Structures are given as structure tokens and as C-alpha cells.
PDB file of all heavy atoms in Angstrom:
ATOM      1  N   VAL A 157      -7.263   7.046   8.234  1.00 95.00           N
ATOM      2  CA  VAL A 157      -6.090   6.466   7.586  1.00 95.00           C
ATOM      3  C   VAL A 157      -6.222   6.659   6.089  1.00 95.00           C
ATOM      4  O   VAL A 157      -7.265   6.335   5.510  1.00 95.00           O
ATOM      5  CB  VAL A 157      -5.970   4.985   7.925  1.00 95.00           C
ATOM      6  CG1 VAL A 157      -4.748   4.414   7.212  1.00 95.00           C
ATOM      7  CG2 VAL A 157      -5.912   4.777   9.462  1.00 95.00           C
ATOM      8  N   GLN A 158      -5.146   7.103   5.489  1.00 97.00           N
ATOM      9  CA  GLN A 158      -5.107   7.155   4.016  1.00 97.00           C
ATOM     10  C   GLN A 158      -3.769   6.620   3.554  1.00 97.00           C
ATOM     11  O   GLN A 158      -2.726   7.109   3.978  1.00 97.00           O
ATOM     12  CB  GLN A 158      -5.332   8.527   3.470  1.00 97.00           C
ATOM     13  CG  GLN A 158      -5.487   8.628   1.982  1.00 97.00           C
ATOM     14  CD  GLN A 158      -5.940   9.998   1.499  1.00 97.00           C
ATOM     15  OE1 GLN A 158      -5.879  10.988   2.233  1.00 97.00           O
ATOM     16  NE2 GLN A 158      -6.411  10.048   0.243  1.00 97.00           N
ATOM     17  N   LEU A 159      -3.813   5.623   2.697  1.00 98.00           N
ATOM     18  CA  LEU A 159      -2.596   5.036   2.078  1.00 98.00           C
ATOM     19  C   LEU A 159      -2.717   5.113   0.616  1.00 98.00           C
ATOM     20  O   LEU A 159      -3.709   4.614   0.063  1.00 98.00           O
ATOM     21  CB  LEU A 159      -2.451   3.569   2.553  1.00 98.00           C
ATOM     22  CG  LEU A 159      -2.454   3.334   4.075  1.00 98.00           C
ATOM     23  CD1 LEU A 159      -2.398   1.820   4.361  1.00 98.00           C
ATOM     24  CD2 LEU A 159      -1.246   3.960   4.705  1.00 98.00           C
ATOM     25  N   VAL A 160      -1.735   5.679  -0.047  1.00 97.00           N
ATOM     26  CA  VAL A 160      -1.792   5.889  -1.493  1.00 97.00           C
ATOM     27  C   VAL A 160      -0.547   5.244  -2.103  1.00 97.00           C
ATOM     28  O   VAL A 160       0.562   5.677  -1.881  1.00 97.00           O
ATOM     29  CB  VAL A 160      -1.832   7.365  -1.893  1.00 97.00           C
ATOM     30  CG1 VAL A 160      -1.855   7.514  -3.389  1.00 97.00           C
ATOM     31  CG2 VAL A 160      -3.044   8.009  -1.223  1.00 97.00           C
ATOM     32  N   GLU A 161      -0.811   4.134  -2.893  1.00 96.00           N
ATOM     33  CA  GLU A 161       0.286   3.438  -3.509  1.00 96.00           C
ATOM     34  C   GLU A 161       0.585   3.969  -4.881  1.00 96.00           C
ATOM     35  O   GLU A 161      -0.292   4.542  -5.577  1.00 96.00           O
ATOM     36  CB  GLU A 161      -0.075   1.914  -3.697  1.00 96.00           C
ATOM     37  CG  GLU A 161      -0.338   1.208  -2.414  1.00 96.00           C
ATOM     38  CD  GLU A 161      -1.813   0.862  -2.270  1.00 96.00           C
ATOM     39  OE1 GLU A 161      -2.647   1.644  -2.812  1.00 96.00           O
ATOM     40  OE2 GLU A 161      -2.108  -0.162  -1.584  1.00 96.00           O
ATOM     41  N   SER A 162       1.803   3.772  -5.356  1.00 96.00           N
ATOM     42  CA  SER A 162       2.195   4.133  -6.686  1.00 96.00           C
ATOM     43  C   SER A 162       3.400   3.289  -7.072  1.00 96.00           C
ATOM     44  O   SER A 162       4.014   2.658  -6.216  1.00 96.00           O
ATOM     45  CB  SER A 162       2.573   5.632  -6.782  1.00 96.00           C
ATOM     46  OG  SER A 162       3.624   5.935  -5.915  1.00 96.00           O
ATOM     47  N   GLY A 163       3.641   3.244  -8.381  1.00 97.00           N
ATOM     48  CA  GLY A 163       4.830   2.562  -8.887  1.00 97.00           C
ATOM     49  C   GLY A 163       4.583   1.248  -9.600  1.00 97.00           C
ATOM     50  O   GLY A 163       5.518   0.643 -10.058  1.00 97.00           O
ATOM     51  N   GLY A 164       3.387   0.799  -9.610  1.00 96.00           N
ATOM     52  CA  GLY A 164       3.081  -0.467 -10.290  1.00 96.00           C
ATOM     53  C   GLY A 164       3.166  -0.283 -11.832  1.00 96.00           C
ATOM     54  O   GLY A 164       3.329   0.832 -12.334  1.00 96.00           O
ATOM     55  N   GLY A 165       3.063  -1.406 -12.529  1.00 97.00           N
ATOM     56  CA  GLY A 165       3.079  -1.343 -13.965  1.00 97.00           C
ATOM     57  C   GLY A 165       3.467  -2.665 -14.574  1.00 97.00           C
ATOM     58  O   GLY A 165       3.440  -3.678 -13.945  1.00 97.00           O
ATOM     59  N   LEU A 166       3.764  -2.609 -15.837  1.00 98.00           N
ATOM     60  CA  LEU A 166       4.173  -3.803 -16.672  1.00 98.00           C
ATOM     61  C   LEU A 166       5.684  -3.823 -16.721  1.00 98.00           C
ATOM     62  O   LEU A 166       6.340  -2.867 -17.083  1.00 98.00           O
ATOM     63  CB  LEU A 166       3.597  -3.694 -18.055  1.00 98.00           C
ATOM     64  CG  LEU A 166       4.004  -4.776 -19.061  1.00 98.00           C
ATOM     65  CD1 LEU A 166       3.518  -6.197 -18.552  1.00 98.00           C
ATOM     66  CD2 LEU A 166       3.448  -4.464 -20.412  1.00 98.00           C
ATOM     67  N   VAL A 167       6.203  -5.024 -16.423  1.00 98.00           N
ATOM     68  CA  VAL A 167       7.660  -5.192 -16.462  1.00 98.00           C
ATOM     69  C   VAL A 167       8.002  -6.603 -17.006  1.00 98.00           C
ATOM     70  O   VAL A 167       7.172  -7.501 -16.789  1.00 98.00           O
ATOM     71  CB  VAL A 167       8.280  -4.949 -15.033  1.00 98.00           C
ATOM     72  CG1 VAL A 167       7.760  -6.015 -14.054  1.00 98.00           C
ATOM     73  CG2 VAL A 167       9.829  -4.972 -15.083  1.00 98.00           C
ATOM     74  N   GLN A 168       9.084  -6.728 -17.671  1.00 98.00           N
ATOM     75  CA  GLN A 168       9.484  -8.021 -18.185  1.00 98.00           C
ATOM     76  C   GLN A 168      10.099  -8.924 -17.094  1.00 98.00           C
ATOM     77  O   GLN A 168      10.618  -8.394 -16.088  1.00 98.00           O
ATOM     78  CB  GLN A 168      10.494  -7.847 -19.302  1.00 98.00           C
ATOM     79  CG  GLN A 168       9.916  -7.147 -20.540  1.00 98.00           C
ATOM     80  CD  GLN A 168      10.945  -7.132 -21.665  1.00 98.00           C
ATOM     81  OE1 GLN A 168      12.141  -7.321 -21.451  1.00 98.00           O
ATOM     82  NE2 GLN A 168      10.481  -6.964 -22.887  1.00 98.00           N
ATOM     83  N   PRO A 169       9.987 -10.213 -17.279  1.00 98.00           N
ATOM     84  CA  PRO A 169      10.607 -11.116 -16.296  1.00 98.00           C
ATOM     85  C   PRO A 169      12.117 -10.707 -16.092  1.00 98.00           C
ATOM     86  O   PRO A 169      12.812 -10.468 -17.064  1.00 98.00           O
ATOM     87  CB  PRO A 169      10.460 -12.473 -16.948  1.00 98.00           C
ATOM     88  CG  PRO A 169       9.228 -12.349 -17.749  1.00 98.00           C
ATOM     89  CD  PRO A 169       9.265 -10.947 -18.278  1.00 98.00           C
ATOM     90  N   GLY A 170      12.536 -10.818 -14.863  1.00 97.00           N
ATOM     91  CA  GLY A 170      13.881 -10.341 -14.503  1.00 97.00           C
ATOM     92  C   GLY A 170      14.018  -8.886 -14.236  1.00 97.00           C
ATOM     93  O   GLY A 170      15.127  -8.472 -13.777  1.00 97.00           O
ATOM     94  N   GLY A 171      13.017  -8.136 -14.504  1.00 98.00           N
ATOM     95  CA  GLY A 171      13.110  -6.661 -14.320  1.00 98.00           C
ATOM     96  C   GLY A 171      12.860  -6.295 -12.862  1.00 98.00           C
ATOM     97  O   GLY A 171      12.673  -7.091 -11.974  1.00 98.00           O
ATOM     98  N   SER A 172      12.794  -4.942 -12.694  1.00 98.00           N
ATOM     99  CA  SER A 172      12.631  -4.382 -11.307  1.00 98.00           C
ATOM    100  C   SER A 172      11.522  -3.317 -11.324  1.00 98.00           C
ATOM    101  O   SER A 172      11.289  -2.670 -12.345  1.00 98.00           O
ATOM    102  CB  SER A 172      13.954  -3.786 -10.870  1.00 98.00           C
ATOM    103  OG  SER A 172      14.960  -4.713 -10.747  1.00 98.00           O
ATOM    104  N   LEU A 173      10.938  -3.188 -10.189  1.00 98.00           N
ATOM    105  CA  LEU A 173      10.003  -2.118  -9.919  1.00 98.00           C
ATOM    106  C   LEU A 173      10.147  -1.622  -8.468  1.00 98.00           C
ATOM    107  O   LEU A 173      10.528  -2.459  -7.660  1.00 98.00           O
ATOM    108  CB  LEU A 173       8.523  -2.515 -10.104  1.00 98.00           C
ATOM    109  CG  LEU A 173       7.963  -2.596 -11.539  1.00 98.00           C
ATOM    110  CD1 LEU A 173       6.516  -3.209 -11.482  1.00 98.00           C
ATOM    111  CD2 LEU A 173       7.953  -1.271 -12.246  1.00 98.00           C
ATOM    112  N   ARG A 174       9.821  -0.396  -8.232  1.00 98.00           N
ATOM    113  CA  ARG A 174       9.771   0.081  -6.830  1.00 98.00           C
ATOM    114  C   ARG A 174       8.385   0.650  -6.587  1.00 98.00           C
ATOM    115  O   ARG A 174       7.985   1.540  -7.252  1.00 98.00           O
ATOM    116  CB  ARG A 174      10.855   1.131  -6.547  1.00 98.00           C
ATOM    117  CG  ARG A 174      10.894   1.448  -5.003  1.00 98.00           C
ATOM    118  CD  ARG A 174      11.998   2.428  -4.696  1.00 98.00           C
ATOM    119  NE  ARG A 174      11.596   3.824  -4.909  1.00 98.00           N
ATOM    120  CZ  ARG A 174      12.124   4.852  -4.241  1.00 98.00           C
ATOM    121  NH1 ARG A 174      13.042   4.628  -3.257  1.00 98.00           N
ATOM    122  NH2 ARG A 174      11.755   6.065  -4.525  1.00 98.00           N
ATOM    123  N   LEU A 175       7.742   0.024  -5.577  1.00 98.00           N
ATOM    124  CA  LEU A 175       6.451   0.552  -5.146  1.00 98.00           C
ATOM    125  C   LEU A 175       6.607   1.548  -4.007  1.00 98.00           C
ATOM    126  O   LEU A 175       7.503   1.371  -3.175  1.00 98.00           O
ATOM    127  CB  LEU A 175       5.506  -0.577  -4.705  1.00 98.00           C
ATOM    128  CG  LEU A 175       5.297  -1.713  -5.687  1.00 98.00           C
ATOM    129  CD1 LEU A 175       4.337  -2.761  -5.126  1.00 98.00           C
ATOM    130  CD2 LEU A 175       4.809  -1.221  -7.040  1.00 98.00           C
ATOM    131  N   SER A 176       5.740   2.514  -3.971  1.00 98.00           N
ATOM    132  CA  SER A 176       5.738   3.494  -2.880  1.00 98.00           C
ATOM    133  C   SER A 176       4.357   3.542  -2.229  1.00 98.00           C
ATOM    134  O   SER A 176       3.362   3.343  -2.931  1.00 98.00           O
ATOM    135  CB  SER A 176       6.132   4.881  -3.379  1.00 98.00           C
ATOM    136  OG  SER A 176       7.415   4.894  -3.924  1.00 98.00           O
ATOM    137  N   CYS A 177       4.300   3.853  -0.965  1.00 98.00           N
ATOM    138  CA  CYS A 177       3.024   4.013  -0.310  1.00 98.00           C
ATOM    139  C   CYS A 177       3.156   5.233   0.644  1.00 98.00           C
ATOM    140  O   CYS A 177       3.932   5.156   1.601  1.00 98.00           O
ATOM    141  CB  CYS A 177       2.645   2.788   0.463  1.00 98.00           C
ATOM    142  SG  CYS A 177       1.199   2.964   1.561  1.00 98.00           S
ATOM    143  N   ALA A 178       2.416   6.298   0.345  1.00 98.00           N
ATOM    144  CA  ALA A 178       2.440   7.474   1.194  1.00 98.00           C
ATOM    145  C   ALA A 178       1.271   7.414   2.174  1.00 98.00           C
ATOM    146  O   ALA A 178       0.108   7.153   1.774  1.00 98.00           O
ATOM    147  CB  ALA A 178       2.284   8.724   0.322  1.00 98.00           C
ATOM    148  N   ALA A 179       1.537   7.574   3.450  1.00 98.00           N
ATOM    149  CA  ALA A 179       0.566   7.400   4.494  1.00 98.00           C
ATOM    150  C   ALA A 179       0.239   8.728   5.122  1.00 98.00           C
ATOM    151  O   ALA A 179       1.103   9.625   5.298  1.00 98.00           O
ATOM    152  CB  ALA A 179       1.101   6.418   5.574  1.00 98.00           C
ATOM    153  N   SER A 180      -0.987   8.842   5.582  1.00 97.00           N
ATOM    154  CA  SER A 180      -1.424  10.019   6.363  1.00 97.00           C
ATOM    155  C   SER A 180      -2.516   9.560   7.297  1.00 97.00           C
ATOM    156  O   SER A 180      -3.170   8.509   7.139  1.00 97.00           O
ATOM    157  CB  SER A 180      -1.936  11.155   5.470  1.00 97.00           C
ATOM    158  OG  SER A 180      -3.057  10.708   4.716  1.00 97.00           O
ATOM    159  N   GLY A 181      -2.668  10.344   8.368  1.00 96.00           N
ATOM    160  CA  GLY A 181      -3.712  10.012   9.338  1.00 96.00           C
ATOM    161  C   GLY A 181      -3.325   8.968  10.389  1.00 96.00           C
ATOM    162  O   GLY A 181      -4.182   8.569  11.209  1.00 96.00           O
ATOM    163  N   ILE A 182      -2.061   8.587  10.393  1.00 95.00           N
ATOM    164  CA  ILE A 182      -1.569   7.642  11.392  1.00 95.00           C
ATOM    165  C   ILE A 182      -0.217   8.121  11.982  1.00 95.00           C
ATOM    166  O   ILE A 182       0.467   8.940  11.329  1.00 95.00           O
ATOM    167  CB  ILE A 182      -1.378   6.260  10.799  1.00 95.00           C
ATOM    168  CG1 ILE A 182      -0.328   6.305   9.633  1.00 95.00           C
ATOM    169  CG2 ILE A 182      -2.667   5.618  10.355  1.00 95.00           C
ATOM    170  CD1 ILE A 182       0.056   4.932   9.118  1.00 95.00           C
ATOM    171  N   PRO A 183       0.120   7.650  13.168  1.00 96.00           N
ATOM    172  CA  PRO A 183       1.473   7.940  13.671  1.00 96.00           C
ATOM    173  C   PRO A 183       2.508   7.063  12.985  1.00 96.00           C
ATOM    174  O   PRO A 183       2.911   6.007  13.455  1.00 96.00           O
ATOM    175  CB  PRO A 183       1.360   7.584  15.166  1.00 96.00           C
ATOM    176  CG  PRO A 183       0.320   6.486  15.187  1.00 96.00           C
ATOM    177  CD  PRO A 183      -0.664   6.850  14.122  1.00 96.00           C
ATOM    178  N   PHE A 184       2.902   7.519  11.782  1.00 96.00           N
ATOM    179  CA  PHE A 184       3.661   6.666  10.893  1.00 96.00           C
ATOM    180  C   PHE A 184       4.927   6.059  11.543  1.00 96.00           C
ATOM    181  O   PHE A 184       5.182   4.850  11.369  1.00 96.00           O
ATOM    182  CB  PHE A 184       4.044   7.442   9.627  1.00 96.00           C
ATOM    183  CG  PHE A 184       4.724   6.632   8.583  1.00 96.00           C
ATOM    184  CD1 PHE A 184       4.011   5.859   7.713  1.00 96.00           C
ATOM    185  CD2 PHE A 184       6.122   6.594   8.535  1.00 96.00           C
ATOM    186  CE1 PHE A 184       4.687   5.128   6.717  1.00 96.00           C
ATOM    187  CE2 PHE A 184       6.773   5.813   7.537  1.00 96.00           C
ATOM    188  CZ  PHE A 184       6.046   5.112   6.671  1.00 96.00           C
ATOM    189  N   GLY A 185       5.640   6.875  12.226  1.00 95.00           N
ATOM    190  CA  GLY A 185       6.942   6.419  12.760  1.00 95.00           C
ATOM    191  C   GLY A 185       6.859   5.228  13.690  1.00 95.00           C
ATOM    192  O   GLY A 185       7.830   4.492  13.903  1.00 95.00           O
ATOM    193  N   ILE A 186       5.688   5.031  14.346  1.00 96.00           N
ATOM    194  CA  ILE A 186       5.556   3.911  15.289  1.00 96.00           C
ATOM    195  C   ILE A 186       4.568   2.865  14.771  1.00 96.00           C
ATOM    196  O   ILE A 186       4.198   1.955  15.510  1.00 96.00           O
ATOM    197  CB  ILE A 186       5.103   4.384  16.667  1.00 96.00           C
ATOM    198  CG1 ILE A 186       3.780   5.168  16.574  1.00 96.00           C
ATOM    199  CG2 ILE A 186       6.184   5.287  17.319  1.00 96.00           C
ATOM    200  CD1 ILE A 186       3.181   5.514  17.960  1.00 96.00           C
ATOM    201  N   SER A 187       4.181   2.970  13.511  1.00 97.00           N
ATOM    202  CA  SER A 187       3.260   1.982  12.956  1.00 97.00           C
ATOM    203  C   SER A 187       4.005   0.917  12.173  1.00 97.00           C
ATOM    204  O   SER A 187       5.060   1.208  11.594  1.00 97.00           O
ATOM    205  CB  SER A 187       2.244   2.666  11.987  1.00 97.00           C
ATOM    206  OG  SER A 187       1.372   3.581  12.700  1.00 97.00           O
ATOM    207  N   THR A 188       3.428  -0.239  12.173  1.00 98.00           N
ATOM    208  CA  THR A 188       4.000  -1.294  11.334  1.00 98.00           C
ATOM    209  C   THR A 188       3.337  -1.171   9.917  1.00 98.00           C
ATOM    210  O   THR A 188       2.161  -1.035   9.797  1.00 98.00           O
ATOM    211  CB  THR A 188       3.613  -2.732  11.953  1.00 98.00           C
ATOM    212  OG1 THR A 188       4.278  -2.859  13.176  1.00 98.00           O
ATOM    213  CG2 THR A 188       4.047  -3.851  10.982  1.00 98.00           C
ATOM    214  N   MET A 189       4.191  -1.239   8.904  1.00 98.00           N
ATOM    215  CA  MET A 189       3.749  -1.059   7.574  1.00 98.00           C
ATOM    216  C   MET A 189       4.049  -2.386   6.805  1.00 98.00           C
ATOM    217  O   MET A 189       5.081  -3.033   7.058  1.00 98.00           O
ATOM    218  CB  MET A 189       4.481   0.055   6.884  1.00 98.00           C
ATOM    219  CG  MET A 189       4.305   1.408   7.636  1.00 98.00           C
ATOM    220  SD  MET A 189       2.586   1.958   7.689  1.00 98.00           S
ATOM    221  CE  MET A 189       2.242   2.145   5.906  1.00 98.00           C
ATOM    222  N   GLY A 190       3.145  -2.674   5.909  1.00 98.00           N
ATOM    223  CA  GLY A 190       3.340  -3.954   5.127  1.00 98.00           C
ATOM    224  C   GLY A 190       2.904  -3.816   3.681  1.00 98.00           C
ATOM    225  O   GLY A 190       2.114  -2.914   3.318  1.00 98.00           O
ATOM    226  N   TRP A 191       3.349  -4.775   2.898  1.00 98.00           N
ATOM    227  CA  TRP A 191       2.886  -4.947   1.525  1.00 98.00           C
ATOM    228  C   TRP A 191       2.288  -6.343   1.424  1.00 98.00           C
ATOM    229  O   TRP A 191       2.895  -7.302   1.843  1.00 98.00           O
ATOM    230  CB  TRP A 191       4.038  -4.810   0.557  1.00 98.00           C
ATOM    231  CG  TRP A 191       4.483  -3.375   0.399  1.00 98.00           C
ATOM    232  CD1 TRP A 191       5.569  -2.766   0.985  1.00 98.00           C
ATOM    233  CD2 TRP A 191       3.909  -2.406  -0.480  1.00 98.00           C
ATOM    234  NE1 TRP A 191       5.689  -1.506   0.583  1.00 98.00           N
ATOM    235  CE2 TRP A 191       4.688  -1.225  -0.294  1.00 98.00           C
ATOM    236  CE3 TRP A 191       2.830  -2.359  -1.328  1.00 98.00           C
ATOM    237  CZ2 TRP A 191       4.385  -0.010  -0.968  1.00 98.00           C
ATOM    238  CZ3 TRP A 191       2.557  -1.219  -2.050  1.00 98.00           C
ATOM    239  CH2 TRP A 191       3.350  -0.061  -1.855  1.00 98.00           C
ATOM    240  N   TYR A 192       1.086  -6.435   0.868  1.00 98.00           N
ATOM    241  CA  TYR A 192       0.433  -7.641   0.547  1.00 98.00           C
ATOM    242  C   TYR A 192       0.152  -7.696  -0.943  1.00 98.00           C
ATOM    243  O   TYR A 192       0.235  -6.672  -1.674  1.00 98.00           O
ATOM    244  CB  TYR A 192      -0.891  -7.699   1.311  1.00 98.00           C
ATOM    245  CG  TYR A 192      -0.812  -7.882   2.812  1.00 98.00           C
ATOM    246  CD1 TYR A 192      -0.332  -6.888   3.629  1.00 98.00           C
ATOM    247  CD2 TYR A 192      -1.166  -9.077   3.401  1.00 98.00           C
ATOM    248  CE1 TYR A 192      -0.240  -7.077   4.997  1.00 98.00           C
ATOM    249  CE2 TYR A 192      -1.087  -9.312   4.739  1.00 98.00           C
ATOM    250  CZ  TYR A 192      -0.639  -8.263   5.563  1.00 98.00           C
ATOM    251  OH  TYR A 192      -0.562  -8.432   6.901  1.00 98.00           O
ATOM    252  N   ARG A 193      -0.169  -8.895  -1.428  1.00 98.00           N
ATOM    253  CA  ARG A 193      -0.529  -9.006  -2.828  1.00 98.00           C
ATOM    254  C   ARG A 193      -1.670 -10.027  -2.978  1.00 98.00           C
ATOM    255  O   ARG A 193      -1.811 -10.882  -2.163  1.00 98.00           O
ATOM    256  CB  ARG A 193       0.632  -9.395  -3.698  1.00 98.00           C
ATOM    257  CG  ARG A 193       1.181 -10.766  -3.485  1.00 98.00           C
ATOM    258  CD  ARG A 193       2.458 -11.022  -4.270  1.00 98.00           C
ATOM    259  NE  ARG A 193       3.022 -12.315  -3.979  1.00 98.00           N
ATOM    260  CZ  ARG A 193       4.236 -12.679  -4.326  1.00 98.00           C
ATOM    261  NH1 ARG A 193       5.034 -11.872  -5.021  1.00 98.00           N
ATOM    262  NH2 ARG A 193       4.712 -13.901  -4.035  1.00 98.00           N
ATOM    263  N   GLN A 194      -2.426  -9.821  -4.051  1.00 98.00           N
ATOM    264  CA  GLN A 194      -3.493 -10.753  -4.354  1.00 98.00           C
ATOM    265  C   GLN A 194      -3.562 -10.970  -5.853  1.00 98.00           C
ATOM    266  O   GLN A 194      -3.795 -10.043  -6.654  1.00 98.00           O
ATOM    267  CB  GLN A 194      -4.851 -10.182  -3.855  1.00 98.00           C
ATOM    268  CG  GLN A 194      -5.965 -11.178  -3.943  1.00 98.00           C
ATOM    269  CD  GLN A 194      -7.219 -10.711  -3.211  1.00 98.00           C
ATOM    270  OE1 GLN A 194      -7.396  -9.528  -2.834  1.00 98.00           O
ATOM    271  NE2 GLN A 194      -8.115 -11.705  -2.910  1.00 98.00           N
ATOM    272  N   ALA A 195      -3.328 -12.217  -6.217  1.00 97.00           N
ATOM    273  CA  ALA A 195      -3.344 -12.625  -7.605  1.00 97.00           C
ATOM    274  C   ALA A 195      -4.818 -13.053  -7.932  1.00 97.00           C
ATOM    275  O   ALA A 195      -5.558 -13.447  -7.019  1.00 97.00           O
ATOM    276  CB  ALA A 195      -2.372 -13.712  -7.864  1.00 97.00           C
ATOM    277  N   PRO A 196      -5.206 -13.068  -9.157  1.00 93.00           N
ATOM    278  CA  PRO A 196      -6.556 -13.479  -9.513  1.00 93.00           C
ATOM    279  C   PRO A 196      -6.884 -14.864  -8.995  1.00 93.00           C
ATOM    280  O   PRO A 196      -6.027 -15.840  -9.216  1.00 93.00           O
ATOM    281  CB  PRO A 196      -6.529 -13.444 -11.038  1.00 93.00           C
ATOM    282  CG  PRO A 196      -5.501 -12.419 -11.387  1.00 93.00           C
ATOM    283  CD  PRO A 196      -4.426 -12.564 -10.338  1.00 93.00           C
ATOM    284  N   GLY A 197      -8.002 -15.041  -8.353  1.00 95.00           N
ATOM    285  CA  GLY A 197      -8.402 -16.345  -7.836  1.00 95.00           C
ATOM    286  C   GLY A 197      -7.680 -16.823  -6.620  1.00 95.00           C
ATOM    287  O   GLY A 197      -7.858 -17.961  -6.167  1.00 95.00           O
ATOM    288  N   LYS A 198      -6.799 -15.953  -6.027  1.00 96.00           N
ATOM    289  CA  LYS A 198      -6.049 -16.370  -4.868  1.00 96.00           C
ATOM    290  C   LYS A 198      -6.322 -15.460  -3.681  1.00 96.00           C
ATOM    291  O   LYS A 198      -6.835 -14.353  -3.841  1.00 96.00           O
ATOM    292  CB  LYS A 198      -4.541 -16.406  -5.171  1.00 96.00           C
ATOM    293  CG  LYS A 198      -4.172 -17.439  -6.241  1.00 96.00           C
ATOM    294  CD  LYS A 198      -2.660 -17.544  -6.326  1.00 96.00           C
ATOM    295  CE  LYS A 198      -2.269 -18.641  -7.343  1.00 96.00           C
ATOM    296  NZ  LYS A 198      -0.809 -18.784  -7.443  1.00 96.00           N
TER     297      LYS A 198
END
């Protein structure tokens, strides 16, 4: 499995971003995909 994210960065409050994740090594069309996040200390 290889997952490569892109699209992060610095944005002002109220702004927008789009994250992308390109996958390989899995049957993508039948896999469940998710986004998680981890803040410092959490």
C-alpha cells in the first residue's frame, strides 16, 4: 500500500484548502478511504 497526500499548507481562518491522496497497491475502487487528523498533544 502506498498513499501520498498533498495540498496542505498555511491558510487564514475562513479560507479553504483541498487535500489529495493518491493511492497505489490496493483495489482502490472497492476500498474505504478516510482522512484523519492529529493535532499536537491529541
